[in-house]
Amino acid sequence: MKSDIPVTSLQRLPVYLNYLKSLPSEGYISSGAIAHALDMGEVLVRKDLAFTAAQGRTRVGYLRKELIAALEDYLGCNDKKRAVIFGAGELGQALMSYGGFSNYGIEVIAAFDSDSAKIGTYVGGKPVYGIENVEEELGRLDAKLAVMCVPARFAQDVVDVTVKCGIKKILNFAPVLLRVPSGTIVRNMDVAANLAILSSMT
Amino acid sequence: MKSDIPVTSLQRLPVYLNYLKSLPSEGYISSGAIAHALDMGEVLVRKDLAFTAAQGRTRVGYLRKELIAALEDYLGCNDKKRAVIFGAGELGQALMSYGGFSNYGIEVIAAFDSDSAKIGTYVGGKPVYGIENVEEELGRLDAKLAVMCVPARFAQDVVDVTVKCGIKKILNFAPVLLRVPSGTIVRNMDVAANLAILSSMT
């Protein structure tokens, strides 16, 4: 079912979820009210929400707490998912300490780095392992998600190892294009490129 | 002209640029070769590149260094753009020290924070100012871009101030929906939501 949702719709689901959570959870809300608040088209909102199990009622709309639950269910907020971070530099450490992942059922369990001064330390209560032990540790940790925070020039090599270890979902902060086999998905979070895109938007 | 480009096309331009930069810059490259390397459709690549000033030649394609220059020009890599960061926590500090912004002509010039222990310090050579002086400092700094790295509960208040100060482009890392007047553009970089989206993709 999930394979049918366009990525653009999927990307909007957390936006709806954040908006609904900012309201009291009692009562009903219509797709029109959501569309108006978020400055989007109502048809689009209704189509997006139809990918979830939420059932709207004629004239009143969605029971707010049911819609929140349906969005959380669709986004897997209730399934525990383990993630590891590659690169315990400043960005990696910021993510190790970040508390917001649990809203989506994501648990960051460890980081890997090549710097012997960092290996063996803990950040935000999570261990930093040596990159040379990655195959052994990843087998034990059972992580399904990887977040790349390594410098651009190392990113492809690290990704090749994670792919070999069976990780199929990679969030990439390195400002470089990663080559992965089909079946592996990379989502790019290049901050500088996003700021440039924003700057070019009119 | 730029207003005609779809955001989805605009988002792909840094991907082409990164790919082309990973190759030697001499010689020609065809849209077909780019499409093949990036696992995309050739028509799509050609349409995207047509938004730039790059001129392809029949049968040989684009002169690689001209295409790089056209992409850099379109993305404003040669125009200096000043950005400020709100929130000098771990993520904010990571971005203050990050060297990759200059590839896109972006210069992070300062951060703002409310923590008196941080105000007056320097991170990556850039000053941290007190948020209470934001109107005065922003007037002086002439920044056009703001990056929100403050906790979610403060984000809307901070954004209201930046909007009042004339900033119209905001890159938002806070996991919250920001309300801005029309004419102001927010690009969301919610890391946890992006990891959840990635996890839901099949």
Side-chain angles (χ1 to χ4, degrees):
Chain A
M1 185 180 74
K2 279 192 186 178
S3 55
D4 293 338
I5 190 171
V7 176
T8 46
S9 292
L10 185 57
Q11 291 183 137
R12 285 188 291 265
L13 299 188
V15 177
Y16 302 131
L17 182 58
N18 277 337
Y19 170 64
L20 292 164
K21 281 182 164 180
S22 76
L23 305 171
S25 73
E26 306 90 63
Y28 286 87
I29 189 160
S30 67
S31 48
I34 296 172
H36 182 74
L38 301 180
D39 196 18
M40 293 165 57
E42 187 181 342
V43 174
L44 187 73
V45 172
R46 214 180 299 134
K47 269 191 190 168
D48 287 346
L49 297 179
F51 286 105
T52 74
Q55 301 281 340
R57 288 159 186 78
T58 318
R59 261 187 290 269
V60 287
Y62 302 89
L63 193 56
R64 220 176 276 161
K65 66 179 176 187
E66 280 183 16
L67 186 51
I68 289 174
L71 284 163
E72 288 185 332
D73 188 53
Y74 196 91
L75 287 167
C77 301
N78 305 312
D79 315 329
K80 289 272 163 255
K81 293 171 290 286
R82 312 182 114 204
V84 288
I85 289 172
F86 288 86
E90 284 172 310
L91 177 61
Q93 292 194 24
L95 296 179
M96 290 174 86
S97 304
Y98 177 62
F101 290 118
S102 59
N103 295 336
Y104 292 97
I106 295 161
E107 190 191 3
V108 171
I109 46 173
F112 291 90
D113 204 287
S114 59
D115 178 355
S116 59
K118 287 177 185 152
I119 296 166
T121 64
Y122 285 75
V123 178
K126 288 136 199 164
V128 180
Y129 296 120
I131 189 78
E132 68 276 11
N133 299 323
V134 63
E135 296 192 42
E136 173 189 332
E137 295 291 352
L138 272 185
R140 196 175 58 77
L141 295 170
D142 189 35
K144 299 283 184 246
L145 301 166
V147 184
M148 285 298 135
C149 302
V150 299
R153 65 188 182 283
F154 301 132
Q156 186 64 52
D157 285 349
V158 173
V159 162
D160 290 345
V161 174
T162 61
V163 167
K164 216 172 105 188
C165 294
I167 286 186
K168 293 195 187 314
K169 308 277 180 80
I170 299 163
L171 195 66
N172 177 35
F173 280 92
V176 67
L177 188 80
L178 299 175
R179 290 177 179 77
V180 293
S182 81
T184 302
I185 307 176
V186 175
R187 197 167 162 82
N188 286 305
M189 296 283 284
D190 181 339
V191 181
N194 272 285
L195 207 46
I197 288 165
L198 180 69
S199 179
S200 299
M201 284 165 77
T202 48
Chain B
M1 185 181 75
K2 280 192 184 176
S3 56
D4 293 338
I5 191 172
V7 176
T8 46
S9 292
L10 185 58
Q11 290 182 138
R12 285 188 291 267
L13 299 188
V15 176
Y16 302 131
L17 182 58
N18 277 337
Y19 170 63
L20 291 165
K21 280 182 166 181
S22 76
L23 304 171
S25 73
E26 305 90 64
Y28 286 86
I29 190 160
S30 67
S31 48
I34 297 171
H36 181 74
L38 301 179
D39 197 17
M40 293 165 60
E42 186 181 342
V43 174
L44 187 73
V45 171
R46 215 179 300 134
K47 270 192 190 165
D48 286 347
L49 297 179
F51 286 106
T52 73
Q55 302 281 342
R57 287 161 187 77
T58 319
R59 262 189 287 270
V60 288
Y62 303 89
L63 193 56
R64 218 176 276 159
K65 66 180 177 186
E66 280 184 15
L67 186 50
I68 289 174
L71 284 162
E72 287 185 334
D73 188 53
Y74 196 92
L75 287 166
C77 301
N78 305 313
D79 314 330
K80 290 274 163 256
K81 292 172 291 286
R82 310 182 115 203
V84 288
I85 290 173
F86 287 87
E90 284 172 309
L91 177 60
Q93 292 194 23
L95 296 180
M96 290 174 86
S97 305
Y98 177 61
F101 289 119
S102 59
N103 294 336
Y104 292 97
I106 295 161
E107 190 192 2
V108 171
I109 47 173
F112 291 91
D113 204 288
S114 60
D115 179 354
S116 59
K118 286 177 185 153
I119 297 167
T121 64
Y122 285 75
V123 179
K126 289 134 198 166
V128 180
Y129 296 118
I131 189 78
E132 68 277 12
N133 299 323
V134 63
E135 296 192 42
E136 172 189 332
E137 295 290 352
L138 272 184
R140 196 175 57 79
L141 295 170
D142 189 36
K144 300 284 184 246
L145 301 165
V147 184
M148 285 297 137
C149 302
V150 299
R153 66 188 182 284
F154 301 132
Q156 186 63 53
D157 285 350
V158 174
V159 163
D160 290 345
V161 175
T162 61
V163 167
K164 216 171 102 189
C165 294
I167 286 187
K168 293 194 186 317
K169 309 277 180 81
I170 298 163
L171 195 66
N172 177 36
F173 281 92
V176 67
L177 187 80
L178 298 175
R179 289 177 180 78
V180 292
S182 82
T184 303
I185 307 176
V186 175
R187 196 167 163 82
N188 285 305
M189 296 283 284
D190 180 340
V191 181
N194 272 286
L195 206 47
I197 289 166
L198 180 69
S199 180
S200 299
M201 285 166 76
T202 49

